[in-house]
Amino acid sequence: MKAVIWMTVMVLMGGFLKADVDPFSDEFATPPLSELDPFSATFGDGPVDPSDAESTFKVLSSVASFKPGEPFHLSFKLSNPRGWHSYYSNSGSAGGPVEVMWDLPEGWTAGNLIYPVPHLSPNALGAGYDYSGTNHFVTQITPPASASGTIELKAEARWQICTDQNCILEPGPSPANTIPLSISLSSSAAPVSSDAAGEIEEALAATAQVSEAWDIEVRNVGTQLQLDLLPKDGAVSELEEVYFFAATAKLTDPGGAQKLKKTDKG
């Protein structure tokens, strides 16, 4: 059994066990950092021209019309150009994360941005957590029970894309620059699914999930962060490999070794 340990660290730390996405598969395979050529003009997909760097994006909704008081999801669907990568909330040693900041009408609320499981990839400065191709960055939106009519939901987004040699801030050269996003939705007595509902549901299913089969305890041991995985009913008998993605920058070194050891606790 191979698993990904995903932990979001804010004031308190909470643990999540992810077992259906495998960063140890060939899809995520990367050479040892000692073999990385920082002067190479390639990054996985062959030679890359900085002039080709321009991401495409759109906002998708899981509903065509919303029911007041009932949550739904909005996705920032980002497609990176060939050879370029965008970044997880903790980008690692290079790059800046995808960020979406919602500016909602009074009474509306937005949850934290839900990131896909990233790739662990080497770069000229060490290693980082990134994405290639097309990915969904999803937010749960909750309208107030009093919402009615057609509502425009607005946001601002920013992100950075990099190759092994180049990094570009999108949509502009300054971290303060953002690009406006908006989508208009109408209320209805019952929610009506949109054409994008299945796509967003599939994207959410591939994110980190809470596991009821494990308890996770976290502690500092000297300069190291130790995670104790305590099996409960339904846990697999053996874990072959586990990987911990830190959501907070500088909490761990993405290029550092992670060791798995079985203890008498299980």
Side-chain angles (χ1 to χ4, degrees):
M1 176 66 180
K2 298 178 181 180
V4 176
I5 296 300
W6 188 297
M7 174 168 282
T8 300
V9 181
M10 297 178 68
V11 177
L12 299 177
M13 302 182 182
F16 301 87
L17 184 67
K18 180 70 176 170
D20 58 348
V21 175
D22 184 4
F24 309 99
S25 69
D26 291 340
E27 177 185 1
F28 295 130
T30 57
L33 297 183
S34 60
E35 297 179 10
L36 177 66
D37 178 4
F39 303 104
S40 170
T42 65
F43 193 97
D45 296 301
V48 174
D49 184 346
S51 65
D52 293 336
E54 185 175 350
S55 300
T56 60
F57 57 89
K58 62 176 66 174
V59 178
L60 302 177
S61 173
S62 63
V63 295
S65 60
F66 66 90
K67 178 181 178 180
E70 187 168 306
F72 59 92
H73 290 99
L74 294 179
S75 169
F76 176 61
K77 182 179 180 180
L78 179 65
S79 296
N80 300 321
R82 182 186 63 83
W84 294 79
H85 301 75
S86 53
Y87 290 89
Y88 175 52
S89 60
N90 171 16
S91 58
S93 58
V98 174
E99 297 178 279
V100 180
M101 293 74 67
W102 289 98
D103 181 15
L104 301 175
E106 184 176 356
W108 290 67
T109 60
N112 293 329
L113 190 63
I114 304 171
Y115 288 82
V117 175
H119 297 219
L120 171 63
S121 300
N123 56 55
L125 299 177
Y129 300 135
D130 61 32
Y131 306 101
S132 59
T134 298
N135 295 274
H136 290 266
F137 301 87
V138 182
T139 306
Q140 179 174 286
I141 302 293
T142 303
S146 59
S148 62
T150 300
I151 305 294
E152 183 180 19
L153 305 177
K154 299 179 180 180
E156 292 185 336
R158 61 172 170 245
W159 63 96
Q160 188 171 38
I161 57 174
C162 297
T163 67
D164 190 35
Q165 286 192 317
N166 300 283
C167 285
I168 296 175
L169 284 166
E170 294 188 318
S174 166
N177 288 348
T178 59
I179 193 163
L181 309 172
S182 68
I183 187 170
S184 294
L185 297 170
S186 297
S187 62
S188 58
V192 177
S193 295
S194 69
D195 292 339
E199 185 177 350
I200 294 175
E201 183 177 355
E202 183 177 347
L204 285 170
T207 63
Q209 308 294 318
V210 175
S211 174
E212 301 296 337
W214 297 85
D215 281 333
I216 302 179
E217 296 179 357
V218 184
R219 52 184 165 170
N220 290 317
V221 181
T223 60
Q224 296 182 330
L225 188 68
Q226 179 173 312
L227 284 74
D228 294 330
L229 312 182
L230 308 176
K232 303 187 331 188
D233 290 343
V236 296
S237 58
E238 295 290 337
L239 288 174
E240 295 176 7
E241 293 180 296
V242 172
Y243 191 83
F244 169 65
F245 286 104
T248 300
K250 300 182 180 181
L251 182 66
T252 62
D253 176 10
Q258 296 189 13
K259 299 178 181 180
L260 179 65
K261 179 182 178 181
K262 188 171 183 178
T263 69
D264 55 8
K265 293 183 179 181

